[in-house]
């Protein structure tokens, strides 16, 4: 009743508010790309309002998931959702800088917060009776790669020989393909984040999959989350984290 724009325009406003680096920039993008004269404050209100509604919906779905029996949580799923050939959950933690705006124009505070992130990946599956590549790939055996990972957290493409072609080797087996992607992120604790991820995975049909994999850096907090909410998943240590450590 109180809407001042159509649902289609509101979707554009919220998309710009989320994707742009600021609500002011979102307002500029809407003017330049869609000929919409939407002030930054209206972008902010629409974005926060829709974000709040999505959080409330996620909470309702999570509560419905938690009300189910443990067998249903581990093996069940929405009737209309097909199980992926392989269900992959990847999780990691990080840091973000939070800028708290104080009312009345007072000076604002900035501080660092801890982020929890998980990625849900439905993938194709190509099972093997034995490990298709027992040995570490050649390009990962170069000690300089591990040194670079430890120093800068990424592979820059250069190695001791100066030739990056070895990093483009084709695997001797058929790689699984990603069929979709959903990202869940939160500033809440790992204890609160676990059921959030488990609920999202359940509604994607992951619990009904016959092949389930949980990939992480092996940290205690994430492994504890995996054991509590993804106990029937095969726990896999991410090799890049292992090398960088």
């Amino acid at each position: 009743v109180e809407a001042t724009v159509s649902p289609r325009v509101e979707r554009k406003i919220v998309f710009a508010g989320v994707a742009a680096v600021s609500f002011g920039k979102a307002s500029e993008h809407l003017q330049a790309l869609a000929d919409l004269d939407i002030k930054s404050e209206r972008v902010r209100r629409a974005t926060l309002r829709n974000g709040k509604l999505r959080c409330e919906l996620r909470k309702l779905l999570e509560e419905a998931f938690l009300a189910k029996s443990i067998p249903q949580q581990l093996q069940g799923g929405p009737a209309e959702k097909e199980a992926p050939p392989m269900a992959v959950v990847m999780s990691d933690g990080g840091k973000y800088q939070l800028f708290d705006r104080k009312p009345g124009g007072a000076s604002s505070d900035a501080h660092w917060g801890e982020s929890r992130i998980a990625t849900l990946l439905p993938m194709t599956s190509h099972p093997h009776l034995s490990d298709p590549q027992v040995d570490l790939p050649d390009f990962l055996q170069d000690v300089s790669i591990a040194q670079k990972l430890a120093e800068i957290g990424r592979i820059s493409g250069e190695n001791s020989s100066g030739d990056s072609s070895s990093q483009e080797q084709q695997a001797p087996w058929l790689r699984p393909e990603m069929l979709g992607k959903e990202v869940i992120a939160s500033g809440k604790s790992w204890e609160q984040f676990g059921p959030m991820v488990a609920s999202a995975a359940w509604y994607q049909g992951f619990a009904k999959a016959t092949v389930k994999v949980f990939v992480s850096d092996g940290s205690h907090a994430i492994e504890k989350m995996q054991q509590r909410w993804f106990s029937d998943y095969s726990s896999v240590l991410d090799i890049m984290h292992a090398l960088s450590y």
Side-chain angles (χ1 to χ4, degrees):
V1 175
E2 299 175 354
T4 58
V5 297
S6 69
R8 185 176 181 181
V9 170
E10 177 139 331
R11 283 198 297 271
K12 294 180 184 294
I13 294 173
V14 174
F15 181 89
V18 171
V21 297
S22 69
F23 297 130
K25 284 295 182 182
S27 176
E28 294 177 12
H29 294 170
L30 289 167
Q31 180 66 61
L33 300 175
D35 293 324
L36 293 172
D37 185 14
I38 309 293
K39 303 303 181 187
S40 62
E41 179 58 23
R42 289 183 65 190
V43 175
R44 185 188 70 82
R45 290 199 302 267
T47 303
L48 296 182
R49 181 176 66 252
N50 280 272
K52 181 180 179 181
L53 289 172
R54 291 196 64 175
C55 287
E56 291 173 351
L57 174 60
R58 178 197 56 75
K59 189 63 178 176
L60 288 174
L61 292 173
E62 182 181 323
E63 290 173 353
F65 165 75
L66 294 175
K68 301 181 184 298
S69 66
I70 291 179
Q72 181 67 8
Q73 290 179 1
L74 292 176
Q75 303 296 332
E80 73 282 0
K81 200 74 176 179
E82 292 186 6
M86 179 166 63
V88 179
V89 178
M90 303 179 71
S91 187
D92 203 351
K95 292 184 179 295
Y96 65 94
Q97 194 168 33
L98 180 65
F99 188 70
D100 288 334
R101 288 183 170 84
K102 295 183 178 180
S107 59
S108 302
D109 295 328
H111 58 86
W112 289 97
E114 296 282 342
S115 61
R116 329 292 181 200
I117 304 168
T119 306
L120 308 181
L121 303 172
M123 303 184 75
T124 59
S125 178
H126 306 289
H128 298 269
L129 295 178
S130 60
D131 191 339
Q133 184 172 7
V134 178
D135 298 324
L136 196 65
D138 292 340
F139 79 92
L140 289 179
Q141 295 183 25
D142 189 336
V143 68
S144 65
I145 295 296
Q147 291 174 343
K148 288 168 191 164
L149 283 170
E151 292 169 2
I152 59 178
R154 65 181 177 85
I155 298 178
S156 64
E158 58 192 50
N159 54 37
S160 59
S161 65
D163 179 12
S164 62
S165 61
S166 60
Q167 298 184 33
E168 300 172 1
Q169 293 178 0
Q170 294 297 316
W173 68 91
L174 189 61
R175 292 181 181 274
E177 295 181 6
M178 190 169 64
L179 302 175
K181 182 179 183 180
E182 181 177 352
V183 177
I184 302 97
S186 176
K188 297 183 181 297
S189 67
W190 285 110
E191 288 74 17
Q192 295 170 299
F193 188 56
M196 191 185 305
V197 180
S199 172
W202 191 89
Y203 286 104
Q204 289 293 320
F206 276 31
K208 296 191 289 186
T210 56
V211 181
K212 305 175 183 179
V213 179
F214 189 97
V215 184
S216 75
D217 63 356
S219 67
H220 176 72
I222 301 180
E223 286 293 300
K224 185 177 180 180
M225 182 181 78
Q226 183 262 323
Q227 292 165 11
R228 170 65 179 86
W229 296 104
F230 300 94
S231 59
D232 58 338
Y233 282 57
S234 296
S235 181
V236 175
L237 174 65
D238 173 43
I239 193 171
M240 293 303 183
H241 278 92
L243 287 175
S244 66
Y245 296 155

